[in-house]
Amino acid sequence: MAAHSTRNWAGLAFLGFLFVSVAAVSNVEDQVGGFFKSGHTNNWAVLVCTSRFWFNYRHIANTLSVYRSVKRLGIPDSQIILMLADDMACNPRNPRPATVFNNANQHINVYGDDVEVDYRGYEVTVENFIRVLTGRLPPSTPRSKRLLTDDRSNVLVYMTGHGGEGFLKFQDAEEISNVELADAFQQMWQKNRYHELLFMIDTCQAVSMYHKFYSPNVIGIGSAQVGEDSLSHHVDPSIGVYIIDRYTYYLLEFLETVRPDSKKTLADLFRVCPKRVCVSTPGVRTDLFTRDPGSVLITDFFGSVRNVEITTETVTLQRNDTPQTCR
Amino acid sequence: MAASGPKRESRKTLQEEEETATQVYATLGVALVVVVIGVPLWWKTTEVYRATLPYADIGQLKDAQVTYKVGVEFVLPLQTQPQDLLDWREQVDQHLGTGTAYSPISPHYDIKVRTTNKEERTVINQQGSMEALDLQLTELHPPGVGSCTVYLLGKDSSLEALAYIGRHRTAFIKSSGDVSRDVRISAHLVRSYFVNDERLKTTFTSATGAQHDKENIAKEQMQAFKTNTGYEVTFSLLNPDPSVLDVRWDMEAATASYLNPFLDRLANIAEFQVFSQVLYYTDLSVRPTRDERTASYYLTPDQLPHTINPVEAKLGSHVSTYPSVHFLVYIPERGHSPLYIHNEEGLESETNAFFSPRWGGMKIVNVDSPPKNASLPLAVTLDLLPVMETFLSHLRLLLGVAQLPADPSIVVEPADNAAITDWEYDHLLRVRTVENVATATATLASLSQLLGEIGNIVINDDIARQVYLAVDAIREAQHHLGAGELTAAFQASKAAILSSEKAFFDPSLLELLYFPEDQKFAIYIPLFLPMSVPVLMSVFQAYRWYKKQQNQTKEEGKPTKKEGKEGMKESKKDETGQEDDNSSAEKKKSPKGKKQSRKER
């Protein structure tokens, strides 16, 4: 009888312990919840166009479309790494110098008024790209060319160019394979260089580029399945070449409707450019991602909405007007 | 004819035999060169150079338990009974004991309990203010960096609250007469205020890499920058309408008077670079709402995040790679003045300022609008005292100075113009040390794991050297922490983090170009196929020849045994063959012997 009651007490105590620990956890979440709902404090974007030459006008327009959107949604230039051959706006063949348009009607000049290209022309190489991601840059590299992310950074990586199954070509000279890309993301993860990462790629057989990923908290979006080409949208007769790819055209159209305080989620983003307009079939990979994409705001990746806290108390200083030497 | 025919034939075969033998030897020679020189050379030249790293030591560091020693001294009044003194000792040990539960980081309290000495009694009996008491006792008996002293005051002392924590490393408790109660309160002061065990623990565990563990997210940690060797602090004055107001500030003097005492105090922890700038025609891109009742304007909490981004692009580029801390003072334009920040309840915020984690802060300063007939622009000089008060409190949060729970029964003396008390400084130093040790260990562990996962990364000797340095520095830091030498521990942990980061981010540590297996095959085939086919073929032929020879010796051996059994007939016929072979070597005998024995059959 005595033994029985002891066991009961032990059971009760255990239950009590469980209750207390559960309460403690939810308390922490409450405390964190209001302030840091998404768990990130800053946003970064790495936008890469891996093509050059006039006939690849559309890839530059793709990258600039995303650049324009993230900048408009609040990521400052200091947190955007733009890798671009940048040979379109001032190309002698461009009938409208210093502009890059996303469509023949010239609705949106994606080149804009201020474009800060961090890696230009022949600097767009696989090596530089991997170095930017992993942070293994020579000490002399200026701050604007570094990806200074931390464990609370959400990173958007957008790439476009000519690719095939498992690789993306860099300026006709070299290529990056999906294994190298996956390893680079793993190296970022190991050093706490991102909190969540959205990888988006507009190229032929795009989804093959995210197949090899194995690092946590990564979402992959590709414009075409393996075996499919990613197609361009339309030709501008005055320019004479295709001026934008279908996927990015509809992506830009979608992002133009997003405002910094918009409540649109990643689930809306996944529906951009269905097969009927895209011709290719966009793919999504979310198995490495822990949150529900339907509850993740677009602006968690494409914008930068900071967490703020109103200050309630301050330190008290004694007035000290005696002049002192400045350090 | 019949006799000479076979003879010539045998001579011919003899020559052939010799040629085959030479061929075989040549083949073996070439194959030997390929195997002994060629393969190792190829292996050596295509090998990825990897210096040896102390993998075992890194694994050991990762699993090592970190302890930190804290010297605590409890000083009781002279009239304490010897029995009470013993009770104190026993109960304090109990309260500050670490228990048996395993934790990756645990404190080790070095406890002393004694009664006051004569000098201390004279000071205590003076009945001055608590602040003076604190100062005098600290001067009399200064506790070392990282340790603390708790005085138990008599019931008749001037202390009104339950407990008082001074600016230095001393706390006072008003005796209640009940030993266990006094002990409990003093242990609480030590644990939750001076040392803050819990925070050290969460900092340590989250820095070791369990970063997405929800339970470990501490708000303080997300607000503060991760440990860094330096910071770039920029103060910006935003004046959207300089044609109306000509706002000036004497930032240089304010920095010298208010900011430098704080930064000087932290000079050991990090290096600070301070800049200031005035930006004209920079306004907030959000529209404030007008409050008709008070004829003022206000911003809601939802709008605040959107005020920073548009401004940020104009704050200028940064020179160093240190994280930049931004503090903005915004002067509202005439049309939106006065401008206030409303909190969640819709009330005006007293400070009119807000803070953004790992970024900085912003304060809206309302200045009087120029009177109607004043000549514009009206010159205004800002009073920077309230501004610096706000920004110093932001800077404290950003650097990770502990935020303490408000407890009305415990009076905490606020810091003087240095904006940080001695014990807060100790805590910060300890947190940063623990964080550095954990981060450096985690970096090394990630590095060794990565190098294991990704085979084709070159590890050169310089990286190996940095890794060894980091391992040594981590050990040193752990040792100093365990011995309670906080400053030395911090310096060692700083060295550890510098070396480990340097090793991890070394530009040479770049994955070599990845080749899928089929591509490797495609590269080697044109190189190796033309060379290896003849070698392999002739090796195969040599093998066949050798096999044949083996069979021959076997068969030659067998017939000689059979000879005896089968009779003379065979042996007689064999003689002719044996005569021919007299001169030749035994090896060559055997194939011929075989031929003949076949003929016989």
Side-chain angles (χ1 to χ4, degrees):
Chain A
M1 189 61 204
H4 185 72
S5 68
T6 320
R7 201 177 302 147
N8 267 352
W9 276 114
L12 268 182
F14 178 67
L15 272 182
F17 171 74
L18 268 185
F19 179 72
V20 167
S21 52
V22 166
V25 170
S26 63
N27 190 21
V28 170
E29 275 183 19
D30 286 349
Q31 181 199 340
V32 171
F35 192 44
F36 303 104
K37 288 176 202 97
S38 59
H40 77 282
T41 58
N42 55 74
N43 282 84
W44 287 76
V46 182
L47 314 175
V48 191
C49 165
T50 64
S51 300
R52 55 185 302 131
F53 307 125
W54 178 246
F55 52 86
N56 290 322
Y57 184 99
R58 62 184 187 279
H59 293 149
I60 303 259
N62 285 349
T63 316
L64 286 170
S65 299
V66 179
Y67 174 77
R68 170 194 158 84
S69 302
V70 295
K71 210 167 151 180
R72 186 177 58 80
L73 292 173
I75 304 184
D77 256 329
S78 57
Q79 295 181 9
I80 301 175
I81 309 288
L82 183 59
M83 302 180 92
L84 198 70
D86 196 24
D87 51 358
M88 296 307 137
C90 299
N91 194 302
R93 277 188 273 190
N94 190 346
R96 294 180 290 268
T99 56
V100 175
F101 286 100
N102 78 316
N103 65 9
N105 298 331
Q106 301 172 30
H107 276 156
I108 304 169
N109 173 16
V110 287
Y111 204 69
D113 296 329
D114 55 338
V115 177
E116 193 187 299
V117 183
D118 298 296
Y119 289 83
R120 186 188 295 270
Y122 290 114
E123 285 178 332
V124 184
T125 58
V126 175
E127 180 181 332
N128 278 344
F129 176 62
I130 297 284
R131 282 190 189 283
V132 164
L133 289 184
T134 55
R136 297 207 172 96
L137 289 155
S140 58
T141 314
R143 197 189 167 99
S144 63
K145 288 188 165 193
R146 286 172 185 267
L147 185 68
L148 296 168
T149 52
D150 55 30
D151 61 322
R152 293 286 151 211
S153 306
N154 276 9
V155 184
L156 167 74
V157 179
Y158 175 87
M159 301 184 87
T160 184
H162 292 283
E165 187 176 349
F167 70 89
L168 179 68
K169 212 165 68 164
F170 267 67
Q171 300 202 348
D172 290 352
E174 50 183 352
E175 69 225 4
I176 187 171
S177 68
N178 49 6
V179 177
E180 282 162 313
L181 195 61
D183 284 346
F185 288 158
Q186 176 64 11
Q187 295 184 52
M188 290 176 78
W189 173 254
Q190 283 286 357
K191 194 61 192 84
N192 290 349
R193 280 173 67 77
Y194 70 84
H195 172 249
E196 286 166 344
L197 193 144
L198 177 68
F199 174 76
M200 183 180 259
I201 180 158
D202 188 348
T203 181
C204 300
Q205 323 209 25
V207 301
S208 65
M209 286 305 281
Y210 62 61
H211 278 162
K212 291 275 197 287
F213 289 176
Y214 55 101
S215 317
N217 289 4
V218 176
I219 304 183
I221 302 177
S223 64
Q225 297 294 330
V226 174
E228 280 182 344
D229 286 344
S230 184
L231 298 165
S232 50
H233 193 256
H234 64 274
V235 178
D236 181 347
S238 65
I239 287 178
V241 289
Y242 288 97
I243 57 168
I244 197 161
D245 280 329
R246 279 177 184 264
Y247 184 79
T248 307
Y249 179 82
Y250 290 104
L251 174 74
L252 177 63
E253 200 176 77
F254 169 73
L255 288 176
E256 287 294 307
T257 65
V258 176
R259 288 167 37 81
D261 53 358
S262 154
K263 298 289 172 224
K264 289 205 167 100
T265 66
L266 285 188
D268 298 317
L269 179 70
F270 295 163
R271 283 193 287 272
V272 163
C273 199
K275 193 174 167 56
R276 134 182 83 79
V277 291
C278 231
V279 184
S280 62
T281 324
V284 173
R285 179 171 174 195
T286 54
D287 58 322
L288 297 165
F289 196 66
T290 46
R291 288 198 287 159
D292 168 31
S295 65
V296 179
L297 295 180
I298 294 277
T299 48
D300 280 3
F301 290 100
F302 283 86
S304 173
V305 181
R306 290 180 178 280
N307 294 301
V308 299
E309 192 180 59
I310 296 168
T311 312
T312 48
E313 49 189 273
T314 62
V315 296
T316 323
L317 296 174
Q318 296 301 310
R319 187 166 289 279
N320 180 1
D321 288 334
T322 51
Q324 293 185 9
T325 49
C326 194
R327 293 203 300 178
Chain B
M1 274 302 279
S4 66
K7 220 174 196 179
R8 208 172 296 147
E9 217 170 73
S10 70
R11 210 161 274 159
K12 217 175 179 182
T13 42
L14 239 168
Q15 224 170 342
E16 270 172 23
E17 292 302 326
E18 260 170 39
E19 267 171 28
T20 330
T22 334
Q23 243 176 30
V24 166
Y25 289 133
T27 307
L28 283 178
V30 169
L32 205 72
V33 168
V34 167
V35 172
V36 174
I37 301 174
V39 171
L41 196 73
W42 166 70
W43 192 259
K44 200 73 200 159
T45 47
T46 56
E47 185 191 43
V48 176
Y49 179 74
R50 310 195 109 196
T52 47
L53 294 184
Y55 291 109
D57 290 352
I58 293 170
Q60 221 176 356
L61 281 179
K62 208 177 141 198
D63 301 327
Q65 189 185 19
V66 178
T67 52
Y68 52 93
K69 187 172 124 179
V70 185
V72 190
E73 199 169 355
F74 293 99
V75 185
L76 309 183
L78 185 65
Q79 54 272 28
T80 315
Q81 301 294 320
Q83 183 54 42
D84 282 357
L85 211 61
L86 281 177
D87 279 358
W88 251 89
R89 174 78 220 195
E90 198 182 310
Q91 292 190 23
V92 160
D93 276 349
Q94 235 172 48
H95 272 96
L96 294 182
T98 45
T100 48
Y102 177 81
S103 159
I105 179 164
S106 67
H108 162 62
Y109 291 101
D110 183 23
I111 302 162
K112 262 191 220 157
V113 181
R114 63 174 176 90
T115 51
T116 49
N117 57 28
K118 203 178 160 196
E119 289 95 356
E120 286 167 342
R121 276 197 300 281
T122 34
V123 171
I124 291 170
N125 288 338
Q126 276 170 2
Q127 295 283 354
S129 69
M130 290 311 291
E131 211 180 319
L133 186 63
D134 176 36
L135 186 67
Q136 280 171 323
L137 283 175
T138 305
E139 274 169 5
L140 205 65
H141 178 70
V145 176
S147 54
C148 56
T149 313
V150 179
Y151 286 91
L152 187 70
L153 299 180
K155 284 176 200 162
D156 52 344
S157 75
S158 58
L159 177 59
E160 278 156 24
L162 205 61
Y164 170 88
I165 299 176
R167 270 179 196 159
H168 305 285
R169 299 179 172 101
T170 313
F172 300 89
I173 292 169
K174 192 169 185 168
S175 170
S176 62
D178 178 6
V179 173
S180 64
R181 191 181 135 90
D182 293 345
V183 169
R184 210 179 59 238
I185 294 168
S186 41
H188 172 68
L189 285 188
V190 171
R191 277 221 139 146
S192 309
Y193 285 78
F194 282 123
V195 181
N196 210 338
D197 288 349
E198 276 309 307
R199 183 163 180 233
L200 285 169
K201 204 167 158 181
T202 48
T203 306
F204 186 82
T205 45
S206 70
T208 41
Q211 59 163 346
H212 295 276
D213 198 350
K214 265 249 161 117
E215 290 168 54
N216 281 330
I217 299 175
K219 196 170 146 191
E220 279 169 1
Q221 274 164 262
M222 290 178 70
Q223 287 175 336
F225 281 104
K226 302 215 91 184
T227 179
N228 271 296
T229 50
Y231 300 90
E232 203 179 285
V233 184
T234 310
F235 293 93
S236 309
L237 174 64
L238 309 185
N239 185 3
D241 202 356
S243 61
V244 177
L245 286 170
D246 177 17
V247 186
R248 290 169 196 174
W249 64 353
D250 190 358
M251 201 60 211
E252 206 166 315
T255 307
S257 319
Y258 306 122
L259 189 67
N260 281 355
F262 179 65
L263 299 187
D264 288 343
R265 189 76 182 86
L266 298 181
N268 254 336
I269 295 181
E271 186 196 339
F272 292 91
Q273 296 170 345
V274 183
F275 301 92
S276 74
Q277 62 180 347
V278 182
L279 297 174
Y280 296 109
Y281 299 105
T282 312
D283 54 357
L284 309 178
S285 59
V286 293
R287 283 205 83 74
T289 322
R290 184 174 165 82
D291 184 355
E292 292 296 342
R293 195 169 42 83
T294 55
S296 65
Y297 294 83
Y298 64 89
L299 292 171
T300 59
D302 289 350
Q303 289 176 301
L304 296 179
H306 306 294
T307 57
I308 299 177
N309 285 327
V311 174
E312 196 173 14
K314 293 170 186 138
L315 293 179
S317 59
H318 322 285
V319 181
S320 68
T321 45
Y322 291 151
S324 43
V325 186
H326 288 287
F327 292 116
L328 315 180
V329 176
Y330 179 72
I331 313 292
E333 53 196 316
R334 187 157 52 169
H336 291 149
S337 182
L339 179 65
Y340 297 103
I341 292 173
H342 278 195
N343 59 19
E344 271 83 2
E345 285 87 48
L347 301 170
E348 253 170 45
S349 142
E350 277 171 42
T351 55
N352 221 8
F354 64 90
F355 159 81
S356 181
R358 294 189 187 180
W359 184 80
M362 182 167 184
K363 187 176 173 78
I364 297 174
V365 178
N366 290 306
V367 295
D368 294 333
S369 294
K372 272 201 173 154
N373 298 323
S375 60
L376 296 178
L378 186 72
V380 182
T381 306
L382 286 186
D383 175 16
L384 289 177
L385 180 73
V387 172
M388 290 314 269
E389 279 180 343
T390 312
F391 289 159
L392 267 173
S393 63
H394 289 171
L395 198 55
R396 275 166 58 97
L397 290 177
L398 289 167
L399 296 178
V401 178
Q403 288 168 283
L404 295 167
D407 186 345
S409 61
I410 298 169
V411 177
V412 179
E413 182 71 32
D416 55 3
N417 268 21
I420 184 165
T421 59
D422 286 350
W423 58 272
E424 279 176 331
Y425 171 77
D426 289 356
H427 174 66
L428 185 63
L429 204 58
R430 196 174 278 129
V431 163
R432 286 308 191 194
T433 309
V434 161
E435 191 185 345
N436 285 352
V437 167
T439 311
T441 314
T443 304
L444 290 184
S446 317
L447 184 64
S448 64
Q449 195 190 328
L450 263 184
L451 296 177
E453 273 175 16
I454 303 170
N456 56 351
I457 292 186
V458 178
I459 311 172
N460 63 29
D461 294 328
D462 189 46
I463 292 169
R465 202 166 51 85
Q466 294 294 345
V467 170
Y468 277 102
L469 279 178
V471 168
D472 288 346
I474 292 173
R475 288 227 174 96
E476 197 187 327
Q478 287 180 345
H479 169 77
H480 284 306
L481 262 184
E485 295 147 355
L486 211 48
T487 317
F490 178 77
Q491 293 306 336
S493 74
K494 200 163 148 184
I497 207 152
L498 284 177
S499 298
S500 64
E501 301 276 301
K502 212 170 157 192
F504 194 95
F505 288 118
D506 195 286
S508 77
L509 209 59
L510 197 71
E511 190 181 354
L512 296 180
L513 211 55
Y514 170 81
F515 289 116
E517 294 303 314
D518 51 344
Q519 281 191 26
K520 277 184 193 162
F521 202 63
I523 288 168
Y524 283 130
I525 286 262
L527 274 175
F528 287 165
L529 203 66
M531 188 214 66
S532 58
V533 165
V535 173
L536 282 177
M537 291 286 277
S538 27
V539 166
F540 180 63
Q541 276 193 341
Y543 173 75
R544 261 188 24 192
W545 175 78
Y546 175 73
K547 212 52 187 178
K548 216 161 85 184
Q549 213 180 21
Q550 284 271 305
N551 287 345
Q552 196 70 48
T553 37
K554 257 184 207 164
E555 278 182 27
E556 208 171 69
K558 276 173 192 169
T560 43
K561 274 176 192 171
K562 280 174 189 171
E563 264 172 4
K565 289 171 191 171
E566 284 179 16
M568 298 295 284
K569 218 172 143 192
E570 276 185 5
S571 65
K572 263 184 191 169
K573 279 190 178 176
D574 257 5
E575 261 176 36
T576 43
Q578 266 168 4
E579 262 172 35
D580 289 336
D581 289 339
N582 268 347
S583 56
S584 60
E586 264 198 82
K587 268 185 193 170
K588 288 162 200 168
K589 220 194 281 168
S590 42
K592 210 194 152 199
K594 198 183 167 187
K595 251 181 200 167
Q596 285 204 328
S597 60
R598 255 184 214 157
K599 265 182 193 167
E600 282 165 7
R601 278 171 200 172

